[in-house]
Amino acid sequence: MHSLTLLYKALLRLYPQDCRAWCAREMRDAFQRAAEEHRVLGRAALVRFGLAELSGLLVEAGAAWIAKVTSSRYMRGFWIPTTMRRPGQSPEDWCPPGARVLSDVLEAQKRVDFHLRHMMDAISDHDFKRARFHSEEDLRARNQ
Amino acid sequence: MRHVEQQPEASGRPLTESVLLILLSLADKPRHGYALMKDIETLSAGRVRMTTGTLYGALRRLVEDDWIERFDQEDTSREKQAYRLTSVGRRQMAAELNRMKQLTRAAAARLRGSEACIP
């Protein structure tokens, strides 16, 4: 494996664990393909690409940590990373019963937040038809 | 082309360019990460080249906000996970494009007016 890819892989560890579980593999694959493409363009192009990617990775890893610490929505969505379903794994194989209930609650909470947010936006825009729609959806989500 | 935290949920506000480009790229068909990077470069005529960090940061937030969704691709390509627009994302994109059209019309009208005033 190329040293740039190894460095990239090492820097991916700077991300919070839940982020890594979500997309580290995909990021690495996309990076490898882009790196292969730049490699044929010459050393200068590869160095420029590498610098942009690695600095972008550092910035985004910092941003992910800030989001993790400051955003309650983030915490709600990701606070038990071990319950995240792997690609290709069916929901039945994935969740232990307790975690399933927790996951449903988190999902319902997410829907409630979503409709509440959009209802407030609609009211501030004086779009009462849209506000009513989100209000009804909010009620439905709460009753589920 | 930086962090887009909170942008997706700010309905009614202009989208960042990176978010708009991602939505536009997914408008015609689902794509995986690398294909998105390439398509965004093409869409912006080479002006915007998103790094993987920026792209996946934005994708994660858009998935959280239900503007796009991730799914397993059926084919045997290198990337198994792909992204597609949800109805919410499509509506937000349409709203943003309408906003831009309105702005363009207003700007064109203003420019025509100013040219007419030149002696």
Side-chain angles (χ1 to χ4, degrees):
Chain A
M1 200 182 289
H2 194 269
S3 55
L4 194 59
T5 308
L6 287 174
L7 184 58
Y8 186 87
K9 202 174 158 187
L11 286 178
L12 274 175
R13 292 182 176 276
L14 294 175
Y15 275 85
Q17 191 199 347
D18 39 18
C19 282
R20 287 206 306 273
W22 197 84
C23 61
R25 195 172 156 189
E26 276 184 67
M27 286 175 75
R28 203 181 58 228
D29 284 347
F31 174 82
Q32 276 177 330
R33 290 188 66 172
E36 282 164 18
E37 190 183 279
H38 282 81
R39 197 163 292 139
V40 295
L41 297 176
R43 183 175 282 269
L46 184 62
V47 168
R48 272 200 305 275
F49 163 78
L51 286 176
E53 280 289 337
L54 298 180
S55 57
L57 196 66
L58 289 175
V59 170
E60 285 298 326
W65 275 108
I66 291 170
K68 185 180 173 87
V69 171
T70 57
S71 160
S72 60
R73 184 162 54 86
Y74 185 100
M75 296 297 277
R76 278 201 301 274
F78 283 111
W79 70 294
I80 307 178
T82 50
T83 65
M84 286 179 74
R85 188 154 58 99
R86 289 193 303 276
Q89 192 177 21
S90 72
E92 289 73 26
D93 295 338
W94 163 55
C95 251
R100 172 73 56 76
V101 173
L102 180 63
S103 164
D104 290 347
V105 170
L106 290 172
E107 190 56 41
Q109 180 66 45
K110 200 174 170 183
R111 280 205 302 276
V112 166
D113 286 349
F114 175 83
H115 288 297
L116 206 57
R117 219 163 51 226
H118 282 267
M119 186 172 71
M120 286 162 67
D121 283 343
I123 290 170
S124 66
D125 292 343
H126 298 278
D127 185 350
F128 297 111
K129 192 176 169 186
R130 189 156 59 96
R132 196 173 306 117
F133 167 77
H134 285 295
S135 167
E136 286 164 3
E137 289 296 314
D138 170 56
L139 266 178
R140 194 172 302 154
R142 283 173 197 272
N143 290 332
Q144 275 175 354
Chain B
M1 214 48 47
R2 284 275 66 87
H3 204 249
V4 288
E5 177 70 31
Q6 302 302 320
Q7 197 67 45
E9 67 186 45
S11 177
R13 286 188 213 159
L15 308 184
T16 60
E17 190 179 20
S18 54
V19 167
L20 182 60
L21 284 169
I22 290 171
L23 297 180
L24 281 174
S25 180
L26 296 176
D28 60 342
K29 62 176 183 182
R31 289 177 208 273
H32 53 73
Y34 180 71
L36 267 171
M37 282 167 67
K38 298 294 296 174
D39 193 50
I40 284 169
E41 207 172 337
T42 308
L43 270 174
S44 64
R47 193 171 46 81
V48 176
R49 198 206 155 267
M50 294 181 86
T51 64
T52 49
T54 310
L55 175 70
Y56 280 93
L59 287 176
R60 198 178 63 245
R61 286 180 282 275
L62 288 171
V63 168
E64 279 174 40
D65 286 308
D66 299 325
W67 287 27
I68 63 173
E69 60 190 359
R70 191 155 77 146
F71 67 103
D72 294 335
Q73 251 180 345
E74 299 282 318
D75 65 20
T76 53
S77 64
R78 200 158 152 184
E79 288 89 357
K80 303 282 183 221
Q81 296 281 298
Y83 299 86
R84 63 185 162 211
L85 271 187
T86 62
S87 55
V88 179
R90 200 167 284 280
R91 277 203 301 275
Q92 296 287 356
M93 183 181 65
E96 177 66 7
L97 294 178
N98 276 335
R99 190 191 69 78
M100 291 172 90
K101 271 185 212 161
Q102 276 178 347
L103 189 63
T104 310
R105 274 200 298 271
R110 185 61 62 89
L111 284 174
R112 275 198 302 274
S114 68
E115 280 165 9
C117 291
I118 296 171

